[in-house]
Amino acid sequence: MKRGFALLETIVVITFVAVSLLLLYGTFRGMVTRSKDNILYDNASDIYKAFYLKEYLELDKLNINGDINFYDCKDSNNTYCSFILDKFEVNKIYITKYDLKDYDKSLYSSFFNNYVGSLSNKGDYKYRLIVEFNRENTYSYASLGMRDEHE
Amino acid sequence: MNMNKKGVTILELLISISLIGVVILMLLKVMFSLDSINNDQSYASNDEIDRTSIIKEIEQDFLENKLRGIDIKKEKDNTLITFKYDNKEEILSIYIDRLEYKSVSYKLESSNATYDLDINYTYDDLNPYYLITLNIPVLIKGENTTLNDDITLTYLNLKNAQDSY
């Protein structure tokens, strides 16, 4: 008669426990990433910075072509454009279609794609201003809906 | 009687203990990595609602009432910032554990977190505009570990002869 655990049984149990722990780790990791994203997405002070950028650089009065456009200070008549972007720790300014769904994700960073994926398209806007900030080598984002000032 | 089938042999026991040890080590490694990822961010997320509320409250006042001047006074236990508007003044009081604005107190949730009474204030002349940035650092165990939990206020407007900064 066989008594106690055999080596094979122990290995099977440990494999089962290890697989369960890996699954648990995957779940926790997802939760932590989402909680981290909440801090990096649409922070209140970043939204106000985006608002001031929109007003100061008159971003809602630009002619917008295509799904995603970049704003470059070289195209701006504003003397302090680069200064203000540095001051606000802005990395890039995107002006996109409001209900952006199908675009070539390979052209943009995964951080940008993840942020766009988290946005709701329920507002009554035509365009969206997305500001990418780079603080402490971490990208954070804030966005505002924009109506077409030309209409 | 076959002695080999009576129970756990010393070899099986040793292998089992080693395997369990390896699994526990892996688990500890995973837990430490999760803890380090979550550490600074958790402080920032604990106070996210209060931080958002006070930034919104003050920034809306800036926009609706037209900010005309700022006066900053550091005292022993607090720092007082007076925001001067067209028809009124509002005071933001910074204490180590809380902010007070318009009789509402915003207390830090995390016990290790404190407000730094030495705030960072800058005024930039962007003729014909001006830009004000005010940063109230949140320290974790005395250090400003991340900027994500700081209270940052910004105001950009056209210059006015009556303004005082």
Side-chain angles (χ1 to χ4, degrees):
Chain A
M1 190 184 155
K2 190 178 169 186
R3 288 179 201 168
F5 281 111
L7 181 59
L8 184 68
E9 287 166 328
T10 315
I11 289 170
V12 169
V13 169
I14 286 172
T15 312
F16 180 75
V17 170
V19 169
S20 309
L21 289 175
L22 277 175
L23 289 172
L24 201 65
Y25 173 71
T27 313
F28 265 109
R29 176 110 200 169
M31 284 165 69
V32 169
T33 309
R34 274 195 296 280
S35 121
K36 198 175 164 185
D37 288 349
N38 283 341
I39 302 298
L40 300 176
Y41 292 174
D42 294 313
N43 185 316
S45 54
D46 289 346
I47 291 176
Y48 281 98
K49 283 179 186 170
F51 170 78
Y52 288 121
L53 284 174
K54 187 188 86 169
E55 296 292 304
Y56 183 68
L57 302 174
E58 298 185 323
L59 298 174
D60 48 354
K61 291 178 183 159
L62 297 174
N63 286 313
I64 298 160
N65 303 308
D67 288 352
I68 302 179
N69 299 266
F70 291 101
Y71 182 81
D72 194 329
C73 279
K74 286 174 195 157
D75 308 329
S76 167
N77 297 323
N78 211 306
T79 328
Y80 296 100
C81 179
S82 299
F83 175 85
I84 207 164
L85 295 197
D86 281 348
K87 191 87 185 172
F88 284 180
E89 298 169 295
V90 171
N91 192 46
K92 272 181 193 155
I93 296 178
Y94 303 86
I95 299 164
T96 71
K97 246 172 56 180
Y98 190 74
D99 54 345
L100 187 64
K101 282 173 198 158
D102 302 318
Y103 66 98
D104 188 353
K105 290 189 169 65
S106 63
L107 298 175
Y108 304 94
S109 71
S110 58
F111 303 109
F112 175 80
N113 292 334
N114 289 341
Y115 178 68
V116 169
S118 74
L119 293 170
S120 154
N121 295 330
K122 286 179 186 166
D124 180 24
Y125 298 100
K126 191 160 186 186
Y127 302 111
R128 194 191 299 269
L129 164 67
I130 300 178
V131 183
E132 182 181 86
F133 299 89
N134 184 357
R135 266 192 299 269
E136 304 162 320
N137 294 322
T138 305
Y139 292 109
S140 55
Y141 294 86
S143 64
L144 291 174
M146 293 198 298
R147 292 190 173 86
D148 191 350
E149 292 289 311
H150 300 98
E151 283 177 355
Chain B
M1 193 183 207
N2 187 348
M3 292 297 285
N4 285 337
K5 288 190 176 179
K6 263 196 162 178
V8 184
T9 66
I10 189 81
L11 183 67
E12 284 173 345
L13 197 64
L14 283 173
I15 293 173
S16 306
I17 290 171
S18 325
L19 286 171
I20 290 168
V22 168
V23 169
I24 288 174
L25 278 176
M26 281 169 62
L27 185 66
L28 279 175
K29 201 178 160 194
V30 165
M31 287 301 171
F32 278 122
S33 75
L34 280 175
D35 189 51
S36 64
I37 291 167
N38 202 28
N39 194 18
D40 290 340
Q41 302 301 337
S42 66
Y43 289 115
S45 66
N46 281 348
D47 294 304
E48 194 181 2
I49 295 170
D50 273 2
R51 188 171 60 250
T52 304
S53 307
I54 196 156
I55 289 172
K56 190 176 170 226
E57 190 73 38
I58 297 172
E59 288 278 4
Q60 284 305 117
D61 273 353
F62 286 177
L63 292 170
E64 285 163 16
N65 302 309
K66 300 287 177 203
L67 185 66
R68 294 293 177 215
I70 287 184
D71 185 39
I72 300 170
K73 196 170 151 195
K74 192 178 173 194
E75 296 182 340
K76 193 185 169 192
D77 299 325
N78 62 7
T79 297
L80 301 175
I81 307 174
T82 308
F83 299 114
K84 296 169 185 170
Y85 300 110
D86 274 340
N87 304 314
K88 61 173 183 173
E89 288 187 357
E90 295 289 355
I91 296 174
L92 170 66
S93 311
I94 308 165
Y95 296 86
I96 280 178
D97 61 339
R98 68 189 188 281
L99 299 178
E100 287 178 4
Y101 187 69
K102 289 182 170 175
S103 312
V104 180
S105 181
Y106 301 87
K107 202 170 183 322
L108 281 168
E109 295 289 326
S110 316
S111 56
N112 290 327
T114 52
Y115 287 112
D116 191 349
L117 299 184
D118 291 321
I119 63 163
N120 305 312
Y121 167 72
T122 59
Y123 170 89
D124 294 294
D125 188 345
L126 316 177
N127 200 22
Y129 287 83
Y130 65 91
L131 171 68
I132 285 172
T133 47
L134 241 166
N135 177 263
I136 305 165
V138 174
L139 309 178
I140 307 299
K141 295 178 186 167
E143 282 187 39
N144 196 6
T145 51
T146 172
L147 298 176
N148 289 326
D149 54 5
D150 291 357
I151 307 278
T152 305
L153 302 166
T154 313
Y155 187 59
L156 179 71
N157 201 9
L158 280 165
K159 281 201 278 188
N160 185 313
Q162 300 158 356
D163 297 348
S164 62
Y165 298 100

